[in-house]
Amino acid sequence: MAEIAELAALIERFTDGDGAHATAIPHLFLHRLSESAVQMHAVYEPAFCIIAQGSKRVLAGDQVYVYDPANYLIVSVDVPIVASITDASASKPFLGLRLDLDSAAIGALMMESDVKRAATAPPSSALGVSDLSGEIVDAAIRLLRLLETPRDIPILAPLAMREILYRLLRGDQTSRLSEIAFAESKLQQVNRAIRWIKRTYREPFRIEDLTGAAGMSASALHQHFKTVTGMSPLQYQKQLRLQEARNLIVTQSLDAANAGHAVGYDSPSQFSREYRRLFGAPPLRDAERLRGIIEDGQRLPT
């Protein structure tokens, strides 16, 4: 559609190279990548994502999501993922938009409107893909156009973002969005467990502490955690440890043993084995490749 082409042109205009680009509009990020099949390891936070050009494959635990300009993606909690761009080139780069979601804004809008909440429903997976409507694209275009007139951003950007949220709430992601908004939802109990793991991921894993933080029984937590994130709490902790160790090796030049110890591994051999299983190469070889990307002047993909 013509609107998607306009959105792609705006994203290309306001990105000066590959990577994720913060904008003058709070919570709005633009993404550009000119190479396909690059695996990206990250922790997704609650967000709304549109692809204006190209396509993307996201793996969260054992669940796979594929989306393109015909769809949008909603993320409801912080979740480790492995993503790859499946359609991009130097002449036709991948172009995307990410708007981080605010639970308070969603909750306020739901209370002002007649959108029914789904706080007592069982939680669904953290990621969901739905058909993208012209109304959402139109609101996203108006939001990006404000980058041309920064003086208008404080007044008009909140209005455009509010419209995007309203359109999303009127779509088929209402349940997932309402779970983000209300503290007593099962999703928010899982989210409390996630926040506990993120605070303490370097420490030994104790299921009793985790269930206490979440306010759920061990069996209920395991079931709902697996549904939302696609992995067990222990697997979630492991991915956080390995991603942080990778960051330490690349940015602080730590060796593998010290990086592993810094994130909670007692066994260097176990750390190296699990690192290679996740990232596809031993720690030092993987770090050399990533440093090469940085030295070439490229932003690390996210």
Side-chain angles (χ1 to χ4, degrees), residues 28-281:
L28 177 67
F29 298 83
L30 304 180
H31 296 256
R32 175 190 177 121
L33 285 169
S34 56
E35 184 180 353
S36 294
V38 176
Q39 279 201 343
M40 299 166 284
H41 295 259
V43 177
Y44 273 6
E45 298 179 351
F48 158 69
C49 306
I50 296 177
I51 294 174
Q53 185 169 279
S55 59
K56 192 172 188 177
R57 180 180 182 270
V58 179
L59 176 65
D62 56 3
Q63 302 171 62
V64 179
Y65 305 85
V66 178
Y67 70 117
D68 57 27
N71 321 111
Y72 66 87
L73 176 75
I74 290 288
V75 183
S76 61
V77 298
D78 298 4
V79 59
I81 59 91
V82 181
S84 58
I85 304 303
T86 54
D87 181 15
S89 65
S91 60
K92 195 174 181 180
F94 169 92
L95 300 168
L97 170 157
R98 186 184 90 237
L99 181 63
D100 290 344
L101 296 175
D102 176 55
S103 60
I106 297 170
L109 186 55
M110 290 187 71
M111 287 188 286
E112 291 176 34
S113 67
D114 61 352
V115 176
K116 294 182 179 179
R117 57 185 292 186
T120 59
S124 53
S125 60
L127 279 64
V129 175
S130 293
D131 292 341
L132 182 63
S133 70
E135 291 85 358
I136 293 176
V137 176
D138 180 63
I141 288 172
R142 283 185 275 110
L143 182 63
L144 261 64
R145 284 177 181 164
L146 292 174
L147 296 173
E148 301 170 343
T149 55
R151 68 180 183 276
D152 296 332
I153 289 174
I155 303 300
L156 298 182
L159 300 179
M161 290 190 286
R162 181 178 169 87
E163 180 181 349
I164 290 172
L165 285 180
Y166 178 76
R167 300 292 184 187
L168 293 174
L169 284 168
R170 288 296 187 190
D172 58 9
Q173 294 283 354
T174 304
S175 176
R176 188 170 276 106
L177 289 165
S178 68
E179 288 173 351
I180 295 173
F182 296 105
E184 70 273 24
S185 70
K186 288 291 189 293
L187 180 82
Q188 288 307 322
Q189 289 182 286
V190 172
N191 204 20
R192 288 197 290 271
I194 287 172
R195 288 196 295 267
W196 185 88
I197 294 173
K198 292 182 74 173
R199 288 195 307 270
T200 65
Y201 68 89
R202 295 178 178 87
E203 306 300 324
F205 188 90
R206 285 173 47 86
I207 189 64
E208 298 85 358
D209 294 334
L210 186 60
T211 56
M216 304 175 78
S217 68
S219 59
L221 176 59
H222 185 85
Q223 175 188 346
H224 293 314
F225 199 101
K226 177 75 172 179
T227 297
V228 171
T229 66
M231 62 192 80
S232 70
L234 189 59
Q235 290 170 327
Y236 189 104
Q237 181 204 47
K238 183 185 298 184
Q239 289 219 18
L240 291 184
R241 284 182 167 186
L242 293 171
Q243 289 197 28
E244 176 59 19
R246 191 189 208 195
N247 179 59
L248 292 173
I249 292 170
V250 172
T251 63
Q252 299 186 25
S253 299
L254 293 188
D255 59 32
N258 283 321
H261 181 73
V263 299
Y265 278 90
D266 294 326
S267 167
S269 60
Q270 181 188 1
F271 168 71
S272 294
R273 183 169 60 252
E274 293 184 354
Y275 188 105
R276 181 170 188 165
R277 187 179 300 130
L278 180 61
F279 298 120

